[in-house]
């Protein structure tokens, strides 16, 4: 039986790798509250013995592994996140480098067109003369690259006698215009409403204010009216050209 004991002493002749990444990024949100991008890394090693690249993110948990290649495609939601590349060589010596990526939304929505929704019976016999419940709703068709939810902000609503500049009164600044018999009188079609509004996204970006005019007249499609209130109303957009 032969027993051999060896006691090796010396210095490991290996140069650790060096990891490097791109500078910090600030990106504009481009879809559904997020942005897509590529994390590009690099590892240099004088001994040419790099065996792995590991990308980690600080969310949803610290050191969360998101990729095992030098370059990876990734998506990030709004906010700031730190990404770290670890480079490992054959002798398990490592090096790390980090960058921060900020995804922001600074672009306001784009308004396509305003929309006015008027209920059956607005201003008619179906209204409670002491407590007007029905209201004309101001909405808008708009698009936004980042936000899924857009809100209409009504700055002002004014009423005019026909297409003249005779101001009859200002209506409560709200997305819901309630009937005012003191302004409208007996004939709804005599009143032209001028609305000044904007559209705001989830990040608070708001379009420049725009204005449009409309009026409401009796008649139209009664198929959507309830049986107890068969008074259809129709909306005329831009009645003054």
């Amino acid at each position: 039986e032969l027993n051999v004991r060896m006691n090796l002493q010396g210095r490991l002749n290996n140069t650790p790798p060096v990891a490097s990444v791109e500078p910090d990024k600030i990106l504009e949100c481009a879809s559904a509250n997020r942005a897509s991008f590529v994390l590009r890394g690099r590892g240099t090693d004088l001994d040419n013995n790099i065996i792995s690249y590991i990308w980690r993110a600080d969310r949803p948990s610290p050191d969360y592994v998101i990729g095992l290649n030098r370059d990876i495609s990734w998506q990030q939601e709004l906010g700031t996140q730190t990404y770290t590349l670890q480079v490992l060589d054959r002798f398990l010596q490592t090096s790390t480098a980090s960058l921060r990526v900020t995804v922001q939304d600074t672009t306001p929505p784009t308004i396509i067109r305003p929309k006015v929704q008027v209920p059956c019976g607005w201003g008619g016999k179906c209204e409670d003369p002491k407590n007007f419940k029905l209201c004309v709703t101001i909405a808008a068709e708009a698009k936004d690259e980042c936000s899924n939810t857009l809100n209409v902000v009504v700055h002002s609503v004014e009423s005019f006698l026909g297409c003249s500049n005779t101001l009859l009164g200002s209506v409560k600044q709200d997305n819901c215009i309630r009937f005012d018999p003191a302004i409208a009188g007996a004939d709804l079609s005599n009143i032209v409403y001028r609305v000044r509004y904007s559209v705001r996204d989830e990040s608070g970006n708001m379009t420049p204010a725009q204005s449009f005019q409309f009026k409401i007249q009796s008649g139209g499609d009664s198929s959507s009216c309830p049986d107890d209130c068969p008074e259809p109303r129709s909306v005329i957009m831009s009645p003054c050209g």
Side-chain angles (χ1 to χ4, degrees):
E1 180 179 352
L2 177 64
N3 293 320
V4 178
R5 291 185 177 181
M6 300 182 64
N7 184 12
L8 298 178
Q9 294 182 349
R11 184 177 180 181
L12 177 64
N13 188 19
N14 181 69
T15 303
V18 177
S20 60
V21 295
E22 295 178 295
D24 294 349
K25 299 174 181 283
I26 298 179
L27 305 174
E28 185 70 11
C29 175
S31 63
N33 296 312
R34 66 187 62 237
S36 300
F37 53 92
V38 177
L39 289 169
R40 303 184 188 278
R42 185 183 177 194
T44 57
D45 192 303
L46 295 178
D47 303 305
N48 197 29
N49 61 0
I50 293 175
I51 60 172
S52 72
Y53 295 87
I54 304 173
W55 278 102
R56 292 182 171 89
D58 62 353
R59 293 200 311 265
S61 60
D63 295 327
Y64 181 72
V65 175
I66 60 173
L68 300 176
N69 294 313
R70 189 176 68 177
D71 300 335
I72 64 170
S73 297
W74 193 246
Q75 289 187 341
Q76 179 182 311
E77 296 181 347
L78 291 170
T80 300
Q81 193 161 353
T82 299
Y83 299 92
T84 300
L85 173 67
Q86 181 184 31
V87 179
L88 181 70
D89 72 9
R90 186 177 295 116
F91 291 92
L92 304 183
Q93 292 188 292
T94 67
S95 174
T96 59
S98 300
L99 76 155
R100 289 162 58 89
V101 177
T102 299
V103 177
Q104 60 185 13
D105 178 14
T106 62
T107 305
T110 300
I111 296 177
I112 300 174
R113 63 180 64 87
K115 297 171 66 177
V116 176
Q117 301 164 350
V118 56
C120 295
W122 187 83
K125 65 182 181 182
C126 301
E127 287 270 28
D128 180 350
K130 295 183 179 179
N131 182 22
F132 295 95
K133 300 177 182 178
L134 302 178
C135 66
V136 173
T137 302
I138 305 301
E141 184 179 346
K143 63 179 181 179
D144 189 271
E145 295 295 333
C146 185
S147 296
N148 293 320
T149 302
L150 302 177
N151 296 305
V152 172
V153 178
V154 175
H155 303 295
S156 64
V157 180
E158 297 174 313
S159 59
F160 295 85
L161 180 60
C163 293
S164 70
N165 288 322
T166 303
L167 178 64
L168 298 177
S170 296
V171 183
K172 181 181 179 182
Q173 297 183 16
D174 199 337
N175 291 41
C176 184
I177 302 174
R178 300 195 183 278
F179 182 72
D180 186 347
I183 292 177
D187 189 354
L188 291 172
S189 62
N190 286 333
I191 309 304
V192 172
Y193 292 91
R194 181 184 298 167
V195 180
R196 185 171 173 269
Y197 76 108
S198 300
V199 175
R200 181 172 56 204
D201 65 20
E202 294 173 274
S203 296
N205 302 304
M206 190 179 298
T207 65
Q210 297 188 12
S211 297
F212 72 94
Q213 294 180 337
F214 73 94
K215 72 176 184 178
I216 296 171
Q217 63 186 22
S218 300
D221 182 12
S222 61
S223 61
S224 62
C225 291
D227 293 337
D228 60 342
C229 186
E231 290 187 282
R233 298 288 186 262
S234 59
V235 177
I236 308 298
M237 300 293 288
S238 304
C240 301

